[in-house]
Amino acid sequence: MEIHALRAQGWTISAIARHVGADRKTVRGYLAGVRTPGVRARNTPDEFAPFVEYCRLRLTDDPHLWAATLYDEVHELGYPGGYSTFTRALRTLKLRPHCEPCAAAKGRDHAIIDHPPGEETQWDWVELPDPPPGWGVGAHAHLLVGALSHSGLWRGVLADAEDFAHLVEAIDAVVRRLGGLTRRWRFDRMATVCSPASGRLTASFAAVAKYYQVAVDLCPPRHGNRKGVVEKANHAATQRWWRTLPDAVSVEAAQASLDKRAAALDARRRRRDGQQLTVAELAAAERLRPAPPAPYPAQVEAARTVSAQALVSFRGNQYSVPPGMTGTRMLVRHRLGDQTITIATAGGAVVAEHHRALDGAGCVVRAEHHVVALETAVLAAFSDARPCKHKTRRPPSSAATAEAARLRGLPTTDPAARVVIDMSTYAAAAAHLTRTTPSTVDGAGPDAKEMT
């Protein structure tokens, strides 16, 4: 503003330059509007420029996409800048569309709860909408998330359902991914853990808590902030992993990508007692107790359909059943800690038992007697006769003719239904008529002379 004021007073460019201590080209740039006070011209290329269009398209498709998730994508595409530079560019260029409902939302106060190291693990189910069609799990996939309250370290495990057995299996898998057990577990009022109305722990889950030697705390009704650590982990899992998961991915590949994403988030920084520490460093100081050698022996049960090859799919592998059951719904049962699975009918009759292969190995496990029975059934149904000729004339049979007459409303006892017309009589009469000399119109025939 001083430069413009001096120029308005009639000062020359050189006088203004000497007065403000700047170069004459700089003064001319300010006066011409080419330069802006306080903003330096870039002397290096803009690293974000090649990715502007991609970011605009992604934020147009999904206005609520996290900046951290978008940064992960452009970083894999070759963006060399840091996260703060990236978010500053998003704000400067105003690439994120405005969302009025979200802008009108208001926050609320949050209390800070002290979590000593190794004290508590928070648990919660997440229903993930629109899973890949190949998973065959319906409208939602099920993810159990466990988070250490002190450090914020979290891990998640995909499950087939949210029943008691799958909950126990997922808890054991998450505990081993976290590295051990805390002294207490915190849940909301899920029906597999307690009675939602009274908050009393169920006898079945009390046995699980005794097996793992942990105490169980239940959140009061409608107090989601009491387990805010795992709620934040749920948010990170859905936004940083599930939101961008492709369709053509298997359950095993999705679990591996979730483990990779959760491990990458261990590098998040937290300030504790004036020190900058990562989540992994805080988790290393929690001194967790080791998990039991084997999981709690709950029995997992999953319904599966028998394929045309007499196989049943389970956890990325296929297991054989006796032939003749194609399309039948079977129950695959597995007791946690055992090395075998059983396959039973809906009525409970066991039809097969196999050694369980490693999940996601893509193995086909067949029993020898199932192979022999399947080959026998296939060979018995095989025929070496010539194929039927499809152009052969085959008129309706007498039974089909009688049924057609019934459909037309003609009883089988009606004489009209049994009338047979012999066309040979008509043919003989026609032949006789062709041999007879026809008479003339005016009577000039052979007998005309006799009549005169």
Side-chain angles (χ1 to χ4, degrees):
M1 294 301 293
E2 184 181 2
I3 292 176
H4 288 277
L6 294 175
R7 185 61 174 173
Q9 295 176 11
W11 286 40
T12 63
I13 299 295
S14 299
I16 296 174
R18 288 192 299 269
H19 179 74
V20 299
D23 189 83
R24 286 177 297 176
K25 293 189 294 294
T26 304
V27 173
R28 288 192 184 96
Y30 286 142
L31 292 174
V34 178
R35 291 174 175 267
T36 303
V39 178
R40 290 181 175 272
R42 295 185 61 92
N43 55 7
T44 58
D46 186 4
E47 298 175 342
F48 184 70
F51 305 93
V52 171
E53 186 62 22
Y54 177 79
C55 294
R56 179 180 288 110
L57 293 174
R58 290 291 287 120
L59 293 175
T60 301
D61 297 338
D62 187 1
H64 301 95
L65 182 67
W66 275 17
T69 306
L70 184 57
Y71 175 75
D72 293 336
E73 295 182 6
V74 298
H75 185 69
E76 292 180 359
L77 294 175
Y79 175 66
Y83 178 71
S84 59
T85 305
F86 173 76
T87 55
R88 183 169 59 251
L90 293 181
R91 293 191 300 267
T92 303
L93 299 177
K94 298 181 180 180
L95 298 180
R96 187 183 298 277
H98 177 72
C99 181
E100 185 60 31
C102 293
K106 296 183 179 179
R108 55 179 176 176
D109 296 334
H110 299 277
I112 299 177
I113 303 174
D114 183 37
H115 297 295
E119 178 67 18
E120 183 183 80
T121 304
Q122 297 179 7
W123 302 92
D124 196 16
W125 281 112
V126 184
E127 291 187 348
L128 303 171
D130 302 323
W135 290 12
V137 295
H140 292 86
H142 308 281
L143 174 69
L144 182 72
V145 178
L148 301 178
S149 301
H150 173 72
S151 61
L153 185 79
W154 66 271
R155 293 294 185 267
V157 169
L158 290 166
D160 295 332
E162 296 183 10
D163 55 18
F164 173 77
H166 285 94
L167 172 64
V168 175
E169 182 182 29
I171 285 177
D172 186 84
V174 172
V175 163
R176 300 181 190 281
R177 283 172 167 82
L178 289 175
L181 294 163
T182 55
R183 290 182 286 274
R184 311 187 73 84
W185 287 350
R186 179 169 292 278
F187 297 87
D188 57 12
R189 299 200 170 196
M190 58 180 68
T192 50
V193 175
C194 68
S195 171
S198 63
R200 293 176 60 89
L201 202 65
T202 62
S204 56
F205 197 81
V208 176
K210 182 179 180 181
Y211 180 82
Y212 288 97
Q213 299 180 7
V214 295
V216 177
D217 297 323
L218 301 175
C219 293
R222 296 175 294 279
H223 281 66
N225 286 349
R226 186 59 186 85
K227 54 181 182 65
V229 178
V230 72
E231 293 289 351
K232 187 63 177 177
N234 295 346
H235 201 185
T238 53
Q239 298 294 330
R240 302 291 297 273
W241 168 70
W242 180 255
R243 200 176 189 99
T244 58
L245 190 72
D247 288 334
V249 63
S250 63
V251 178
E252 293 75 24
Q255 180 64 61
S257 67
L258 174 61
D259 294 338
K260 181 180 179 181
R261 173 58 59 191
L265 293 177
D266 293 346
R268 294 168 295 161
R269 293 191 171 275
R270 297 288 184 267
R271 181 175 291 276
R272 298 291 171 85
D273 299 330
Q275 295 182 350
Q276 285 281 356
L277 299 173
T278 64
V279 170
E281 292 171 346
L282 291 171
E286 294 213 40
R287 297 181 181 179
L288 304 178
R289 294 184 294 112
Y296 180 82
Q299 180 169 281
V300 176
E301 184 175 282
R304 294 293 186 267
T305 302
V306 181
S307 68
Q309 293 77 28
L311 295 173
V312 172
S313 299
F314 182 69
R315 304 285 177 86
N317 299 296
Q318 293 181 309
Y319 301 90
S320 66
V321 296
M325 297 183 175
T326 302
T328 306
R329 295 290 284 178
M330 292 289 180
L331 298 177
V332 182
R333 295 169 178 169
H334 166 63
R335 187 170 296 279
L336 301 181
D338 289 352
Q339 299 300 319
T340 59
I341 66 168
T342 58
I343 304 175
T345 62
V350 177
V351 298
E353 182 174 351
H354 297 281
H355 179 81
R356 183 183 178 184
L358 185 65
D359 290 351
C363 298
V364 178
V365 182
R366 289 186 181 271
E368 186 64 29
H369 58 282
H370 289 166
V371 175
V372 174
L374 181 61
E375 291 178 352
T376 302
V378 171
L379 293 176
F382 180 77
S383 175
D384 57 354
R386 293 183 61 185
C388 297
K389 295 181 178 180
H390 298 286
K391 297 182 180 180
T392 304
R393 186 182 66 84
R394 287 193 175 92
S397 63
S398 58
T401 304
E403 179 64 17
R406 185 188 68 79
L407 294 174
R408 294 189 181 99
L410 299 176
T412 56
T413 57
D414 191 346
R418 300 192 303 271
V419 172
V420 178
I421 299 176
D422 189 2
M423 299 301 295
S424 61
T425 303
Y426 291 95
H432 177 71
L433 291 175
T434 55
R435 291 193 299 270
T436 303
T437 303
S439 61
T440 62
V441 176
D442 55 359
D447 299 333
K449 190 180 292 185
E450 297 176 3
M451 294 178 63
T452 56

